[in-house]
Protein backbone atom coordinates (compact mmCIF):
# COMPACT_ATOMS: atom_id res chain seq x y z
CA UNK A 1 0.00 0.00 0.00
CA UNK A 2 1.19 3.52 -0.74
CA UNK A 3 0.77 6.48 1.58
CA UNK A 4 -1.50 9.12 0.10
CA UNK A 5 0.08 12.43 -0.82
CA UNK A 6 0.06 14.58 2.36
CA UNK A 7 -0.89 11.52 4.44
CA UNK A 8 0.47 8.57 6.40
CA UNK A 9 -0.19 4.86 6.97
CA UNK A 10 0.33 3.01 10.25
CA UNK A 11 0.01 -0.79 10.29
CA UNK A 12 -1.47 -2.79 13.18
CA UNK A 13 0.24 -5.09 13.90
CA UNK A 14 3.46 -3.85 12.33
CA UNK A 15 3.76 -7.12 10.33
CA UNK A 16 1.34 -7.03 7.41
CA UNK A 17 -0.28 -10.45 7.57
CA UNK A 18 -3.57 -12.08 8.50
CA UNK A 19 -6.00 -9.53 9.99
CA UNK A 20 -3.55 -6.67 9.48
CA UNK A 21 -5.03 -3.21 9.53
CA UNK A 22 -3.81 -0.08 7.79
CA UNK A 23 -4.73 3.23 9.46
CA UNK A 24 -4.65 6.26 7.16
CA UNK A 25 -4.36 9.83 8.45
CA UNK A 26 -3.74 13.18 6.75
CA UNK A 27 -1.39 16.00 7.55
CA UNK A 28 -2.74 19.20 9.11
CA UNK A 29 -4.81 21.20 6.62
CA UNK A 30 -5.86 18.12 4.62
CA UNK A 31 -9.03 16.02 4.89
CA UNK A 32 -9.55 12.33 4.14
CA UNK A 33 -11.76 11.91 1.09
CA UNK A 34 -12.98 15.53 1.39
CA UNK A 35 -14.65 14.79 4.77
CA UNK A 36 -13.58 17.31 7.42
CA UNK A 37 -15.06 15.15 10.22
CA UNK A 38 -13.22 11.97 9.21
CA UNK A 39 -9.97 11.70 11.21
CA UNK A 40 -8.79 8.28 10.05
CA UNK A 41 -9.67 5.45 7.66
CA UNK A 42 -8.96 1.81 8.47
CA UNK A 43 -8.48 -0.87 5.82
CA UNK A 44 -8.16 -4.56 6.67
CA UNK A 45 -6.26 -7.30 4.85
CA UNK A 46 -8.74 -9.72 3.27
CA UNK A 47 -6.49 -12.09 1.32
CA UNK A 48 -2.95 -12.29 2.65
CA UNK A 49 -0.25 -13.61 0.35
CA UNK A 50 1.16 -15.46 3.35
CA UNK A 51 0.73 -15.31 7.10
CA UNK A 52 3.31 -12.48 7.25
CA UNK A 53 2.64 -10.58 4.03
CA UNK A 54 -0.58 -8.96 2.87
CA UNK A 55 -0.09 -8.31 -0.81
CA UNK A 56 -3.61 -9.46 -1.53
CA UNK A 57 -6.86 -7.52 -1.29
CA UNK A 58 -7.68 -4.89 1.28
CA UNK A 59 -11.13 -3.64 2.34
CA UNK A 60 -12.24 -0.20 1.14
CA UNK A 61 -10.57 1.91 -1.53
CA UNK A 62 -7.36 3.74 -0.77
CA UNK A 63 -8.27 7.15 0.64
CA UNK A 64 -6.77 10.42 -0.51
CA UNK A 65 -5.88 13.60 1.38
CA UNK A 66 -7.52 16.68 -0.13
CA UNK A 67 -6.53 20.27 0.79
CA UNK A 68 -9.09 21.73 3.18
CA UNK A 69 -11.26 24.42 1.63
CA UNK A 70 -11.89 27.70 3.42
CA UNK A 71 -15.06 29.76 3.14
CA UNK A 72 -15.15 32.58 0.62
CA UNK A 73 -14.48 35.83 2.52
CA UNK A 74 -17.37 37.45 0.60
CA UNK A 75 -15.75 40.48 -0.99
CA UNK A 76 -19.06 42.35 -1.13
CA UNK A 77 -19.14 42.52 2.70
CA UNK A 78 -15.62 43.95 2.92
CA UNK A 79 -16.12 47.71 2.53
CA UNK A 80 -13.34 50.27 2.40
CA UNK A 81 -10.69 47.77 1.47
CA UNK A 82 -9.62 45.02 -0.86
CA UNK A 83 -8.88 41.32 -0.81
CA UNK A 84 -5.84 39.92 -2.61
CA UNK A 85 -6.00 36.27 -3.56
CA UNK A 86 -8.81 34.10 -4.85
CA UNK A 87 -7.81 30.53 -3.95
CA UNK A 88 -9.49 29.38 -0.77
CA UNK A 89 -7.69 26.07 -0.15
CA UNK A 90 -5.00 25.17 2.36
CA UNK A 91 -2.16 26.37 2.35
CA UNK A 92 -3.06 29.39 0.19
CA UNK A 93 -2.89 32.86 1.76
CA UNK A 94 -5.12 35.85 1.07
CA UNK A 95 -4.55 39.44 2.22
CA UNK A 96 -7.18 41.85 3.52
CA UNK A 97 -6.07 45.45 2.95
CA UNK A 98 -7.80 48.52 4.33
CA UNK A 99 -8.11 51.66 2.26
CA UNK A 100 -6.16 54.71 3.48
CA UNK A 101 -7.89 56.23 6.52
CA UNK A 102 -9.63 52.98 7.56
CA UNK A 103 -8.61 50.45 10.19
Amino acid sequence: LDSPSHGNIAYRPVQRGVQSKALYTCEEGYDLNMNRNLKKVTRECMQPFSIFDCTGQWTKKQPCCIPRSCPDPNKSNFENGSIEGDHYFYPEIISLNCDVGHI
Side-chain angles (χ1 to χ4, degrees), residues 15-80:
Q15 302 88 357
R16 292 178 243 169
V18 176
Q19 296 179 336
S20 289
K21 293 184 180 186
L23 265 55
Y24 290 78
T25 56
C26 292
E27 296 170 0
E28 183 178 349
Y30 293 84
D31 296 319
L32 280 162
N33 297 337
M34 300 179 69
N35 184 341
R36 188 169 281 198
N37 298 319
L38 190 61
K39 301 300 179 203
K40 64 183 176 184
V41 169
T42 302
R43 296 175 73 193
E44 191 168 340
C45 178
M46 291 174 30
Q47 295 180 345
F49 180 72
S50 70
I51 195 165
F52 298 112
D53 185 18
C54 188
T55 55
Q57 294 182 340
W58 292 78
T59 59
K60 302 179 186 172
K61 292 182 180 181
Q62 179 160 329
C64 54
C65 296
I66 307 295
R68 183 169 292 156
S69 64
C70 300
D72 186 325
N74 196 348
K75 295 178 183 181
S76 64
N77 287 340
F78 189 64
E79 295 180 16
N80 302 312

Side-chain angles (χ1 to χ4, degrees), residues 73-90:
N74 196 348
K75 295 178 183 181
S76 64
N77 287 340
F78 189 64
E79 295 180 16
N80 302 312
S82 62
I83 298 174
E84 292 179 27
D86 57 2
H87 295 100
Y88 310 122
F89 292 94
Y90 182 87

